Amino acid sequence: MIQKNERRRYASDLSDSQWSIIEPLFPPAGSRSKWEKRELVNAVPYFVDNGCKWRNLPHDFAPYTTVANFYYGAIRSGLWEKIRAALVERVRTDAGRNADPSYTIIDSQSVKPPQPRKNAGLTEGKNKRAQTAHRSRYHGKSSGGSGSCRQYT
């Protein structure tokens, strides 16, 4: 196991009290686990806060492939949602509020979808002379007018 004293502390690292809240959510570490879960968790906020690529994580974290695999595995297992819920509950109780919200506000807007229009197209809203010129240009029909419209083929 890597000792937590071996790397410098980052501003994004979990505090001891935060870790004590989420530590019980992790399954017991097996014998194959080389990296402490806290170190893997600490690498994720660093990654998010700094907007870096996985491979640009500082070398005092676990290898970036290990951290990325841990991160995506935690998404699939629902671990991040459990962590979020536990931390929100603690913040609410520390503020003297009920652990679960008593109500939720959802703000939405209903918009009627556009209805299909009859006769919508190139000739909608044009006068009769313009419609005739359009037909003449694109359909090869005679405009019946002064002959100023050319035919395009």
Side-chain angles (χ1 to χ4, degrees):
M1 295 274 185
I2 301 295
Q3 301 298 318
K4 76 178 193 181
N5 296 338
E6 289 186 24
R7 85 164 173 83
R8 64 183 241 208
R9 185 156 171 74
Y10 294 100
S12 58
D13 285 356
L14 295 174
S15 67
D16 290 338
S17 64
Q18 290 170 323
W19 178 246
S20 68
I21 297 167
I22 66 171
E23 185 177 20
L25 301 174
F26 289 90
S31 60
R32 299 181 336 154
S33 192
K34 179 180 176 183
W35 298 94
E36 293 179 18
K37 296 297 184 201
R38 185 171 182 173
E39 289 302 306
L40 295 173
V41 172
N42 280 335
V44 173
Y46 181 92
F47 166 77
V48 172
D49 286 349
N50 292 288
C52 64
K53 296 178 182 175
W54 285 117
R55 66 178 69 237
N56 290 344
L57 281 173
H59 295 291
D60 50 355
F61 282 121
Y64 75 90
T65 53
T66 303
V67 176
N69 288 333
F70 165 75
Y71 173 76
Y72 292 116
I75 289 174
R76 284 190 300 276
S77 70
L79 179 62
W80 293 123
E81 183 58 32
K82 292 175 190 172
I83 290 172
R84 186 203 60 77
L87 293 174
V88 166
E89 181 179 324
R90 174 60 65 92
V91 167
R92 290 182 61 83
T93 56
D94 286 353
R97 300 167 73 186
N98 188 350
D100 294 319
S102 56
Y103 61 89
T104 302
I105 298 173
I106 299 174
D107 185 15
S108 67
Q109 180 180 6
S110 297
V111 178
K112 187 173 181 179
Q115 299 297 317
R117 298 180 301 177
K118 292 182 180 178
N119 300 326
L122 293 174
T123 60
E124 183 178 349
K126 293 184 178 181
N127 64 28
K128 188 70 173 166
R129 183 173 165 210
Q131 289 177 9
T132 304
H134 174 78
R135 279 195 292 275
S136 172
R137 281 189 204 118
Y138 297 103
H139 302 292
K141 296 180 182 173
S142 172
S143 66
S146 63
S148 62
C149 295
R150 295 186 197 144
Q151 280 188 320
Y152 295 95
T153 56

